[in-house]
Amino acid sequence: MMVLETSGLTKTYRRKNVVNGVNMHVEKGDIYGFIGKNGAGKTTLMKMVCGLARPSAGGFTLFGSENVSQGRKKIGCVIEQPALFPRMTARENLIYYSKMQGCDKSMDYERILGMVGLSDTGKLKTKGFSLGMKQRLSIAIALLGSPEFLVLDEPINGLDPTGILEVRQLLLHLQQEKGMTILISSHILGELGKMATKYGIINQGNLVEEFTAEELNQKTVHYVRIGADHRDKACQILQEKFGIEQMQVLPDASICVYEQTERIGAMNRELVSQNVTVSYLAVEGQDMEKYFVDRMGGM
């Protein structure tokens, strides 16, 4: 099921389209990594989805319905981190926000705190929380009302490695164990790569590209590219001597080998020893972060 589908979604400020005709597709169970520079339009799009800003043009559906008001009842969001009351405990903060949101009075606060790893904070006031703990409490507030869809704007921004790990483990738990769908923006591309199942890249308000994690792996795979005479003989040697099956002959007659890339030296020696002249041999392929940066418009 499509949890979020936008159609030509546009937001105009001062005659400039900060979100420009975006067609986004977030499916049930996705951890959708939303990537772009500051000012690219990420937060503005998230605000429109959550009802914090009104579209100038286009629209979107939530959970397959155009009744977005009803769909928003199934959304929890952290956009521009909610104010935490420093003299309150984590539980007291949850109680305050649940009353603001009109949640059921039978809300199990301990269960929610347990989900985000804060059940042992007891009477500790939030002023004594680490940044990672505060971020997890913000997510706990977003979980009030048992949402099916979480929208998180930069939830790991500014965290130390421990805090990033804590939030990542939490989000993976919510997706894998609770079946939640998550839309998350972040500048930390390597971290997104450890949890995202799908990506969208936005640049100057335009959705440049949308692809799955599997498609990203294919786009950024590393391989050995070989230029050699006796192409068929070279392929036979690679297959027989190294057991290589994943290879491809390109239109320019070069050979791409997609496995055992660390054995490039041995491949060269074996080909030469069997009278195959190697004119070119190198490991090629694009780094994931470079792939993202290029599509975000460069540095």
Side-chain angles (χ1 to χ4, degrees):
M1 180 178 71
M2 201 67 68
V3 171
L4 169 65
E5 183 174 10
T6 71
S7 178
L9 189 60
T10 300
K11 182 63 178 177
T12 305
Y13 286 121
R14 298 176 183 176
R15 300 182 181 179
K16 179 183 178 182
N17 289 345
V18 294
V19 174
N20 186 33
V22 168
N23 299 319
M24 172 186 278
H25 308 84
V26 181
E27 297 182 64
K28 182 175 175 60
D30 275 342
I31 296 182
Y32 189 110
F34 197 28
I35 301 166
K37 294 180 181 179
N38 287 333
K42 301 188 303 297
T43 300
T44 301
L45 185 143
M46 289 177 157
K47 284 182 175 180
M48 287 191 283
V49 170
C50 296
L52 302 175
R54 182 173 295 178
S56 302
F60 58 93
T61 60
L62 289 171
F63 303 95
S65 171
E66 293 182 1
N67 187 346
V68 295
S69 296
Q70 191 66 29
R72 285 185 181 125
K73 294 179 181 179
K74 302 178 183 180
I75 295 180
C77 67
V78 179
I79 298 176
E80 296 173 350
Q81 188 176 12
L84 301 178
F85 295 92
R87 296 185 181 276
M88 287 185 181
T89 64
R91 189 176 191 276
E92 289 168 343
N93 271 278
L94 281 186
I95 293 171
Y96 173 84
Y97 276 101
S98 69
K99 288 180 177 178
M100 278 190 62
Q101 297 174 23
C103 296
D104 192 324
K105 292 182 179 180
S106 62
M107 183 72 61
D108 188 347
Y109 301 112
E110 295 305 322
R111 180 184 65 84
I112 295 174
L113 290 173
M115 287 173 65
V116 300
L118 293 176
S119 56
D120 60 351
T121 54
K123 295 183 179 180
L124 178 64
K125 308 298 184 185
T126 55
K127 66 180 180 181
F129 281 17
S130 67
L131 187 56
M133 292 169 70
K134 290 177 180 177
Q135 199 66 284
R136 283 185 283 139
L137 179 54
S138 296
I139 295 173
I141 293 169
L143 292 174
L144 290 168
S146 301
E148 297 177 32
F149 182 29
L150 278 183
V151 179
L152 307 175
D153 188 22
E154 300 282 359
I156 55 178
N157 190 34
L159 299 185
D160 61 19
T162 300
I164 290 173
L165 176 62
E166 291 171 348
V167 173
R168 187 214 314 157
Q169 290 175 336
L170 167 61
L171 298 183
L172 286 171
H173 171 75
L174 293 174
Q175 183 236 9
Q176 295 170 2
E177 304 298 326
K178 305 296 181 181
M180 286 191 187
T181 304
I182 301 171
L183 172 61
I184 171 176
S185 69
S186 177
H187 289 106
I188 307 176
L189 304 178
E191 192 58 33
L192 277 184
K194 296 175 183 176
M195 55 181 166
T197 61
K198 192 172 183 179
Y199 299 88
I201 301 175
I202 190 168
N203 183 35
Q204 296 182 351
N206 299 293
L207 191 66
V208 177
E209 195 172 1
E210 200 177 46
F211 45 83
T212 65
E214 183 177 336
E215 288 169 337
L216 175 65
N217 289 336
Q218 293 172 356
K219 293 172 187 288
T220 59
V221 68
H222 284 78
Y223 55 89
V224 176
R225 186 167 180 171
I226 303 171
D229 62 358
H230 305 302
R231 182 186 61 195
D232 293 341
K233 181 179 179 181
C235 290
Q236 183 179 357
I237 293 168
L238 292 170
Q239 187 176 38
E240 292 179 354
K241 296 295 183 179
F242 297 91
I244 291 172
E245 298 292 341
Q246 297 180 42
M247 70 177 99
Q248 177 186 14
V249 178
L250 300 183
D252 65 359
S254 63
I255 304 166
C256 288
V257 177
Y258 297 100
E259 55 184 305
Q260 301 187 44
T261 55
E262 74 284 355
R263 301 187 68 188
I264 183 172
M267 293 179 198
N268 185 48
R269 285 194 299 272
E270 187 64 35
L271 291 171
V272 171
S273 71
Q274 297 204 38
N275 299 316
V276 174
T277 301
V278 177
S279 58
Y280 179 83
L281 187 144
V283 176
E284 297 183 355
Q286 194 168 26
D287 177 80
M288 183 185 76
E289 291 195 4
K290 185 178 186 302
Y291 183 87
F292 282 134
V293 169
D294 286 348
R295 279 146 188 80
M296 288 190 295
M299 298 297 290

